[in-house]
Amino acid sequence: MNDKIRDLEHIAPVEPIILGIESSCDDTSAAVIKNSTILSNVIAGQKVHEAYGGVVPELASRAHQQNIIPVVDMALKDADIKANEISAIAFTRGPGLMGSLLVGTSFAKGFALALNIPLIEVDHLQAHVLAHFIREKDDSERHFPSFPFLCLLVSGGNSQIIIVRDYSDMKIIGQTIDDAAGEAFDKCAKIMGLPYPGGPIVDKYAQKGNPYAFKFSKPCIAGLDYSFSGLKTSFLYYINKQQKANSNFIQENMDDLCASLQFTINDILASKLLKAIKQTGIKKVAVSGGVSANSGLRERLTAESVKHGFRTFFPKLSYSTDNAAMVAIAGYFKYMKGDFVGQDIVPYARVVAH
Ligand code: KG4
């Protein structure tokens, strides 16, 4: 950090304006937050991957390169903020796809250097957790989770149970040993011939189907860890077998297949979460990540919370999947602590322990 930026700490604004940048996978996003209240959140998805049934890393980084400037421009315009009013730039440092992360990281570094403002690195998974603290302009009535709470973080790349003691003090107590929950949704959707990402489409069909129509195998994993690869295999074998007898099996049973698959995934997620609540005695659960948008998971955990006496928190749907608002709020908490990084910062692809 140069001396000029260090001087800024002494005249730090009371209501900092943070620009957040997210580019860890296939969404290019920029958001502006003023004093923890959201002013804008622009997300550009990448349709190019649909034809491949999954994210193609090289295509993702090229699309980020094309999207990043218009997305940031739109986020500033939506927020009615000029570049010279930004107090600091927060960016996703990792984990994620290296080529994608490099686009956001390099952009953030260049922009912070040009504006001579602090740069803040944000861990993508911590940002998903902190999405629960994004304030809207008119939500004075809203309740935020108080510390400590458990976070069930379920996305396309991760499935974790985390004890959250503070904005920066988080401990993973359970995680997937193979596929993530979102991956299970997406891979099983692909087996049924559905486009990527399959999770939201399975959710849609599931709402019309019978969750008990088909039974798929559930893992027996010790402790609080998850596993989803066995479910994917059992789903594949079952479908293949049925297709041999009836080539229209998937089309004729799409609603029930989706409902049963969704029920099984959510059952696996809920049972370990209940175990974690029992073990820790913590009775507040925040759900984060793309899969937290799942209607069946929301219903199931709400029902479990009534039955077992715990409280659940779900983020707004637009803050469930990848977005820069969560990066900006995570950046805001670091800004308040003066936790900045220099221009020598580099992204990381894999999960790191904090
Ligand atoms: O958090 P996210 O946007 O990206 C990362 O993986 O970081 O999560 C994307 C994942 C995908 O696997 C997608 O299929 C899943 O979230 N997803 C859903 C739903 N919406 C998104 N899965 C089930 N039901 C949904 N409604």
Side-chain angles (χ1 to χ4, degrees):
M1 198 194 319
N2 67 29
D3 288 339
K4 267 192 182 162
I5 288 177
R6 204 170 283 124
D7 287 347
L8 278 176
E9 286 172 41
H10 304 295
I11 51 159
V14 208
E15 295 199 317
I17 295 173
I18 312 292
L19 170 68
I21 308 279
E22 157 65 28
S23 73
S24 63
C25 190
D26 60 339
D27 290 303
T28 319
S29 181
V32 178
I33 267 187
K34 184 176 186 180
N35 203 25
S36 86
T37 299
I38 187 84
L39 299 184
S40 68
N41 184 35
V42 177
I43 306 171
Q46 303 180 357
K47 290 229 169 280
V48 66
H49 307 288
E50 275 177 17
Y52 301 90
V55 177
V56 183
E58 176 63 23
L59 296 180
S61 26
R62 288 187 206 185
H64 281 305
Q65 197 73 40
Q66 285 173 340
N67 292 343
I68 190 104
I69 291 182
V71 162
V72 170
D73 203 38
M74 200 182 288
L76 293 178
K77 282 203 180 99
D78 282 2
D80 201 15
I81 290 291
K82 305 241 172 323
N84 62 11
E85 293 176 85
I86 305 170
S87 316
I89 299 177
F91 67 97
T92 302
R93 186 179 170 200
L97 301 171
M98 187 45 87
S100 293
L101 290 165
L102 277 168
V103 177
T105 305
S106 307
F107 177 87
K109 281 167 136 183
F111 206 21
L113 190 66
L115 296 170
N116 194 27
I117 54 175
L119 188 59
I120 301 168
E121 57 117 359
V122 168
D123 181 89
H124 182 77
L125 303 177
Q126 290 201 350
H128 268 303
V129 177
L130 296 175
H132 285 274
F133 296 98
I134 299 168
R135 282 177 192 277
E136 303 282 334
K137 273 183 188 152
D138 49 7
D139 69 352
S140 53
E141 297 295 304
R142 205 172 111 221
H143 295 283
F144 297 91
S146 58
F147 301 115
F149 62 89
L150 292 177
C151 182
L152 175 67
L153 174 49
V154 273
S155 69
N158 294 278
S159 296
Q160 301 177 331
I161 301 175
I162 305 164
I163 297 183
V164 186
R165 296 199 183 89
D166 188 3
Y167 300 114
S168 57
D169 184 357
M170 303 184 195
K171 187 176 172 219
I172 298 168
I173 54 170
Q175 60 189 322
T176 183
I177 57 165
D178 41 54
D179 290 351
E183 225 173 331
F185 271 108
D186 296 340
K187 287 181 175 170
C188 292
K190 193 176 174 186
I191 293 168
M192 292 186 284
L194 299 173
Y196 176 87
I201 307 169
V202 170
D203 191 355
K204 226 167 156 189
Y205 282 115
Q207 290 172 31
K208 295 177 283 169
N210 172 9
Y212 309 109
F214 304 104
K215 276 210 165 11
F216 304 112
S217 78
K218 286 186 215 149
C220 285
I221 305 289
L224 296 174
D225 285 339
Y226 285 117
S227 166
F228 289 98
S229 69
L231 167 62
K232 177 193 64 194
T233 311
S234 110
F235 190 77
L236 176 68
Y237 286 171
Y238 184 74
I239 295 272
N240 283 348
K241 197 171 153 202
Q242 299 302 320
Q243 286 274 94
K244 274 187 192 143
N246 170 11
S247 59
N248 282 330
F249 177 75
I250 296 176
Q251 286 70 25
E252 287 170 11
N253 295 282
M254 188 62 97
D255 295 346
D256 287 347
L257 280 170
C258 288
S260 304
L261 170 69
Q262 179 167 296
F263 175 80
T264 312
I265 294 173
N266 291 341
D267 201 40
I268 297 170
L269 291 172
S271 64
K272 285 289 165 98
L273 182 64
L274 290 176
K275 198 170 175 184
I277 293 170
K278 206 167 169 200
Q279 270 184 25
T280 61
I282 298 174
K283 293 197 170 268
K284 281 159 285 175
V285 175
V287 191
S288 290
V291 180
S292 73
N294 186 265
S295 62
L297 184 64
R298 286 180 179 232
E299 274 168 30
R300 172 72 186 264
L301 294 185
T302 305
E304 296 289 2
S305 69
V306 174
K307 194 167 156 198
H308 297 278
F310 64 91
R311 219 169 146 195
T312 46
F313 299 83
F314 289 96
K316 235 179 101 177
L317 287 182
S318 48
Y319 307 138
S320 300
T321 45
D322 286 351
N323 67 88
M326 65 185 197
V327 179
I329 191 77
Y332 165 76
F333 292 122
K334 285 195 160 186
Y335 183 91
M336 297 313 274
K337 285 175 30 187
D339 190 353
F340 307 138
V341 290
Q343 285 285 326
D344 55 348
I345 195 83
V346 289
Y348 50 78
R350 298 194 175 279
V351 175
V352 293
H354 286 273

